[in-house]
Amino acid sequence: MTQTACASAHTPAVGTGDRRIVRSRKALRDAFIGLMEERGLDGFTVNDLCARADLNRGTFYNHFRDKEDCLQAFEDEIMTDLDRYREQMERLSLVEVVRCRVRKQPMPVLIALFDYLREQGDFLHAVLGPGGDVRFGPRLRDAVCTNLINAVLHERYLSDPTPFVGYYTAFFASAYLGVIERWVETGMQESSEEMARIAVRLLFIKPGDAIVL
């Protein structure tokens, strides 16, 4: 487990009732992942979910309105966790990013971010895959990728209202979402340190440059 990445839902509870809730939520989450991978989000019902998780429907409806509400809760947990990385990236400066690039050193915040994404790899693979939730990718892009791009923009562009600045940010933020999706799809074979170096290298590569790390 990384030093920064652990949601409250994953923290061991104290009371017996709390532990039971944590176990039930984990069972539902695991069931949701398995069913999304096998059937796609539209291919299963609450009954299927409860059967896979070995829970009764009453337990499910004590916590969630429906299947969509359940998925939203799991996604929101990840977005809450990602807030801490967003806050760290907002404090980055272009000078820090360039320094890491020149020294060919991975940025600590990016290592921690990829460590966290790896911990959530099974869920990300399911929710970002063809049978997942099409709404989650844009949320991930806005929470992580856009903030990374903003970190390397000159200050004058952060408040620049011209359309091209917005398109520039959108272009690179979407590209970085694609990097994360490819890493997840290909089994997260690269280490978090490698992915952190790749992320910074991609910020500075230009057309015609050698495509090397």
Side-chain angles (χ1 to χ4, degrees):
M1 182 163 305
T2 65
Q3 59 185 356
T4 56
C6 189
S8 59
H10 309 302
T11 302
V14 176
T16 301
D18 291 336
R19 287 196 297 270
R20 188 178 300 114
I21 291 172
V22 170
R23 286 196 298 269
S24 295
R25 287 179 69 87
K26 183 181 185 306
L28 279 171
R29 191 176 188 273
D30 291 345
F32 221 119
I33 290 168
L35 288 168
M36 268 199 296
E37 293 280 18
E38 295 168 18
R39 308 182 193 179
L41 185 57
D42 296 328
F44 61 93
T45 65
V46 169
N47 283 342
D48 297 325
L49 192 56
C50 291
R52 178 69 62 93
D54 195 23
L55 296 172
N56 60 58
R57 286 168 56 89
T59 298
F60 178 90
Y61 286 115
N62 280 339
H63 300 284
F64 305 107
R65 294 189 304 273
D66 49 32
K67 183 178 71 174
E68 288 71 24
D69 184 47
C70 182
L71 177 60
Q72 181 79 42
F74 295 143
E75 292 177 350
D76 287 349
E77 288 174 0
I78 289 180
M79 302 312 297
T80 297
D81 284 353
L82 289 174
D83 277 345
R84 72 193 67 192
Y85 303 105
R86 176 184 55 78
E87 291 165 1
Q88 292 178 56
M89 284 190 286
E90 286 176 350
R91 294 194 294 268
L92 286 175
S93 69
L94 179 57
V95 172
E96 293 176 79
V97 177
V98 171
R99 184 183 299 120
C100 286
R101 169 59 190 153
V102 170
R103 296 176 179 175
K104 295 186 178 181
Q105 295 176 336
M107 297 177 65
V109 64
L110 292 181
I111 295 174
L113 171 63
F114 282 106
D115 278 344
Y116 175 73
L117 294 177
R118 184 185 297 279
E119 288 182 1
Q120 305 299 328
D122 55 351
F123 183 83
L124 293 175
H125 189 274
V127 79
L128 292 173
D133 183 2
V134 296
R135 301 165 300 179
F136 187 72
R139 294 185 72 190
L140 183 60
R141 178 198 63 209
D142 294 342
V144 174
C145 307
T146 299
N147 281 291
L148 177 59
I149 301 308
N150 286 339
V152 300
L153 287 179
H154 189 282
E155 184 177 344
R156 70 175 180 270
Y157 295 123
L158 293 175
S159 57
D160 191 330
T162 59
F164 189 69
V165 173
Y167 284 116
Y168 175 92
T169 302
F171 175 82
F172 279 99
S174 295
Y176 272 91
L177 175 61
V179 169
I180 292 172
E181 289 177 331
R182 175 174 173 77
W183 186 53
V184 172
E185 289 168 4
T186 55
M188 296 181 162
Q189 298 178 45
E190 293 80 11
S191 69
S192 298
E193 289 79 5
E194 287 178 284
M195 291 306 300
R197 283 194 290 268
I198 287 170
V200 172
R201 175 69 178 114
L202 289 172
L203 283 172
F204 296 98
I205 197 167
K206 300 188 290 291
D209 284 354
I211 306 177
V212 294
L213 186 55

